[in-house]
Structures are given as C-alpha cells and as structure tokens.
Amino acid sequence: MPEGLSRSALMRYGALALPLAAAGMPLYVHVPEFYASEHGLSLVAIGGVLLLMRLLDAVQDPLIGFLSDRYRSHRLSIMLFGSLLLSIGLFALFRPPSSNLLVWFSVALLLATTGFSVVTINLNAVGALWISSQADKTRIASYREGFALAGVLLAISFPAFLMTVFSADEAFRWFTWFWLVSMVAALLLYLGWFKRQAWAEVSHERGAIGCGVLSMPLLRQLRMLPVETKRLFLIYAISTTASSIPAVLVLFYINDRLQLPSYTALFLGAYLLAAMVTLPGWQACSKKWGKAYTWSVSMVLSIVVFSGALLLEAGDGLAYLVVCLLSGAALGAELTLPISLLADQINGACTTDHGVVLRGEGSSTLQCSILAFLAKLSLALSAGLLLPLLEWVGYVSKGQNSEGVLMALTLCYAGLPVVLKCMAWMLLTRSKVEVSQA
C-alpha cells in the first residue's frame, strides 16, 4: 500500500537532501577557495571551468529531466547512478594530484555536478508528484529543504572542526568519508520509502499524460511550457543569482574584507540555522497570504539586510552576524516557495502559449530540472564572471589588498545582489505566477 503524508514518510523522503546539500556546499562554496588558496589555481581558471560546466548544464540538466520522465519506471536506478557519479567526483575533487591540476579539477567537477543534478532533479520531481494539495507541496518542500539546511550546516561545521586538527587537504578527505556514510544511510531510508510509493507514482504519471507530451522533442516541450511557468523561471533565475553571488564570495569577504577568518563557521552556521528555523514561519505565512506574496516579502528583507552589509569594515563581526541571521531568515522562503509554486503549476491545469493543456507528470521532471539548472547557472555566472573580475582589479585571496580592491569585493558581494534582488521583486509583484489548484 502507498504511504501517505506522515511525518515518518516526509522524513524518509527528505533525508536524502541532507547528504546532497552537504556535497553541494563544498562543490559550490569551498572548492573555489580550496583550489585558489591551497593549490594555487588562478581565479580566472577556476571561474572559467565553473562557467563552462554550467554551459554544459544548459543541455545536460533539461536532458536529465527529459530522460528521467521518459524512463520514469527506472527512476530508482537513475538516482543510484547519479549518486555513484557524485561520490566519485567529490572524492576526486579533494584528492588533487601534483600535476595536471586544471584537468583533474575539471573532470572531477563534471562528474560531481552531473551526479548532483541527476539525484537533485529526480528528488524534487518525486516531491512535486507525491500529493496534489498546494499546502502539502509547501510542507514537502519544507521537510526537504530543512534536511538540506542541516546538511549544509554539517558541511560547514565538520570541515571547520577537522581543520583545527588537520590540514585543509586532510580535513576534506576525512569529510568525504563521513559524507559517504551519510549518503548510503539516506539512500537506504529513501529506497524503503520509495518502494511503497512507486506504484502510486507510476500510475499518477501515466494517468496524467493526456496529450502524449513525452513523445514530443525536448525543445518543443520547453517552448510549450505555460507562460506562468516561464515567468516563474525568470524571476527565480534573477533572485537566485542575487543569493548565489554572496555564496560564491562569502569566504573571500570574511577573510579579507572583515578579516575574521576564525569566525567563518559561526557566520555561515548562523546564516543557515536562521534559514532552517524560519522555514515553518514562511510556510505558515504562505498559507495565510499566498506563496508569491510571501516570497516577495522575503525579497524585501534580503534587500534591506544586504544594503547594510555594504557599510561593514574590518572587525565588524557583530554587525555581520546580524546580517547573517536576517539574510538567512530570508533564505528560508527562497528555498521552499519557488519549487512549491512550480509544483502547483505542474499539478494544476495550465494552458500553454500554444493552446495545449499540460497537467501532472507531463513534463514534471523536465521543469524541476530547469529550476535546478537555473540555481546552478546562477552560481556559475557568479564564479565565472566575478572571480576573474576580482583578479583583474588586483584582488589576491588571503593577500595584501588595497582599500579600493576591498571596496570592489564589497560591491560584488553585497551591492550587486541588492540590485538583482530589486529586479526580481519588481517582476514578482507585477507577474501572476501563483495558480489555482484544479
């Protein structure tokens, strides 16, 4: 018998997000600083590789979604294969050789990010298809993202603790072994849950494909997405880019602008803990005022907070801790509401720009893959464009930097996100992205 939306089921489903997020944190935050500071790889090379990977994702992520929909009866095998790729890539990234460093970095990152995409896209799609209630969609996303935040906290605190005993290389090597144990445990929990849900999900998918959308070419499916979904993707792309820029630059900002590297774990932990604690609050607000409106409120909070971050100088640790707490609170809405809005549109009746009604599984994994791609693209653009820019103005990680160079770092870290978040807020308040459940 399929299992309902019990707390136990939600936890077994969401638990897989913990090791995924624990892997994502090193991939997108620690790796650039690790290869630049510990192994001397230039910021231009690192940024270029990250940008190239996301250009590959422009084809890869929607294709992963398309193939996952096409071969949905093999979803478990697809996710296990993605887990294997992620494990191999993550282990390789933190065991770099003494020669051919750039090639090793590129191949290992490709394996890790591909595996990360495969598992994340399918995990989000399964959550979107699990149950039809709009309120329950937010609940599912909240559990998943709550586990994800716990994973990120683990990825911050555990390596920081290990680095008090070992070198950075050794610390991340031990971390990858610990991560592997948590990944295996989470997969076992997820598999037990999924086997009880599989027949219901496959039945739901087949029953929802009324117009044979899976037989359509991939590009045609993309063109036929509902206009509300296209608007949601645009808003999310701008908003998540505004959140990704600080994620890429935060270690550089703490080390060189604030000159407080010993407090890195405290700052990042406070940021993510605030996001985790506020998830139920954002969920309650979305029920009362609607998801789109609640998301817009979180954007305003983020804009105000990061405007204050522009004024910080060396030693302003207490003020920055407040910035971390409040911006983390805003992050809670960003993590759950966009995917919940997309889930509503997947399960609701939506007429496309071409007059075709799409409902249910028709292109669910494809749409989740686009959302995942946009999140990764935002991180890549942040790294691929801003890291070379900082090197061009003379910035040196953990080096001697002039006040002008540090101001450039501050403007990139806090100023540009404020501008982008304002753009996303204006688009959201002028667009109708929330649909009624049919």
Side-chain angles (χ1 to χ4, degrees):
M1 289 293 292
E3 189 172 3
L5 200 70
S6 67
R7 179 175 296 180
S8 173
L10 285 165
M11 293 185 70
R12 280 181 281 144
Y13 160 75
L16 186 55
L18 190 152
L20 276 179
M25 183 71 179
L27 284 179
Y28 298 115
V29 177
H30 285 116
V31 161
E33 200 271 340
F34 176 78
Y35 274 84
S37 299
E38 303 296 329
H39 295 278
L41 201 59
S42 74
L43 293 177
V44 171
I46 294 170
V49 169
L50 290 172
L51 187 57
L52 178 62
M53 292 299 160
R54 296 298 80 79
L55 292 176
L56 291 174
D57 280 341
V59 175
Q60 177 178 270
D61 275 13
L63 184 60
I64 289 170
F66 175 74
L67 292 175
S68 296
D69 278 337
R70 173 68 60 90
Y71 301 104
R72 60 197 179 278
S73 61
H74 302 286
R75 197 182 293 276
L76 278 177
S77 298
I78 291 170
M79 295 182 73
L80 289 173
F81 177 69
S83 300
L84 178 63
L85 289 181
L86 173 58
S87 301
I88 294 172
L90 190 64
F91 268 68
L93 272 173
F94 291 107
R95 289 160 178 81
S98 56
S99 59
N100 298 317
L101 186 63
L102 183 59
V103 175
W104 182 276
F105 171 66
S106 303
V107 174
L109 189 63
L110 176 61
L111 291 174
T113 56
T114 299
F116 184 86
S117 292
V118 170
V119 183
T120 302
I121 288 166
N122 280 278
L123 183 66
N124 289 345
V126 168
L129 293 164
W130 187 358
I131 202 164
S132 60
S133 165
Q134 290 190 27
D136 285 337
K137 292 299 180 186
T138 304
R139 190 177 173 210
I140 291 168
S142 295
Y143 267 80
R144 183 179 61 239
E145 298 307 328
F147 274 103
L149 288 171
V152 177
L153 282 171
L154 180 65
I156 291 170
S157 58
F158 195 54
F161 167 75
L162 291 174
M163 280 188 275
T164 63
V165 181
F166 305 106
S167 66
D169 281 303
E170 291 176 308
F172 279 110
R173 287 174 186 173
W174 279 108
F175 171 76
T176 53
W177 283 112
F178 179 82
W179 173 86
L180 182 61
V181 172
S182 67
M183 185 68 176
V184 171
L187 278 171
L188 290 174
L189 288 173
Y190 179 81
L191 290 174
W193 168 82
F194 189 87
K195 287 177 180 178
R196 298 187 66 180
Q197 298 291 337
W199 74 265
E201 186 204 3
V202 172
S203 174
H204 176 80
E205 290 172 349
R206 289 177 179 170
I209 304 174
C211 58
V213 69
L214 290 180
S215 63
M216 301 176 187
L218 175 60
L219 291 179
R220 187 182 175 194
Q221 287 194 48
L222 294 174
R223 289 196 302 270
M224 290 180 60
L225 290 175
V227 64
E228 293 89 353
T229 303
K230 293 176 182 177
R231 288 172 182 164
L232 175 60
F233 285 150
L234 176 61
I235 295 165
Y236 179 75
I238 297 173
S239 181
T240 196
T241 300
S243 301
S244 297
I245 290 172
V248 170
L249 300 181
V250 63
L251 297 183
F252 302 109
Y253 180 83
I254 293 172
N255 289 338
D256 295 310
R257 171 74 276 184
L258 300 180
Q259 298 180 18
L260 296 170
S262 60
Y263 292 94
T264 298
L266 172 64
F267 293 142
L268 297 182
Y271 173 72
L272 294 162
L273 186 61
M276 185 186 303
V277 169
T278 56
L279 281 174
W282 291 119
Q283 182 180 351
C285 291
S286 70
K287 289 181 180 178
K288 184 174 183 179
W289 296 311
K291 299 173 186 178
Y293 179 78
T294 302
W295 187 16
S296 72
V297 171
S298 75
M299 289 183 183
V300 173
L301 176 60
S302 182
I303 290 166
V304 173
V305 170
F306 263 88
S307 296
L310 287 166
L311 307 177
L312 301 184
E313 298 180 350
D316 287 340
L318 182 59
Y320 186 64
L321 182 61
V322 174
V323 168
C324 290
L325 289 170
L326 294 178
S327 59
L331 176 67
E334 185 89 19
L335 290 173
T336 58
L337 296 180
I339 186 66
S340 184
L341 283 165
L342 180 62
D344 291 344
Q345 294 178 3
I346 288 172
N347 286 275
C350 297
T351 303
T352 71
D353 298 336
H354 300 262
V356 178
V357 174
L358 299 179
R359 185 181 176 88
E361 168 66 9
S363 57
S364 60
T365 320
L366 173 65
Q367 293 184 47
C368 288
S369 73
I370 295 172
L371 212 64
F373 162 66
L374 291 174
K376 292 197 299 179
L377 177 64
S378 67
L379 285 163
L381 289 174
S382 302
L385 300 178
L386 295 180
L387 291 180
L389 174 63
L390 289 174
E391 186 165 289
W392 179 72
V393 300
Y395 171 72
V396 179
S397 178
K398 296 182 179 178
Q400 296 295 324
N401 296 287
S402 67
E403 185 60 32
V405 170
L406 294 177
M407 178 55 67
L409 174 62
T410 301
L411 289 173
C412 289
Y413 172 78
L416 187 54
V418 168
V419 173
L420 291 173
K421 195 67 81 171
C422 286
M423 292 172 58
W425 177 81
M426 288 188 290
L427 285 172
L428 182 60
T429 54
R430 287 165 173 76
S431 299
K432 184 178 181 180
V433 297
E434 197 153 13
V435 298
S436 298
Q437 191 77 5

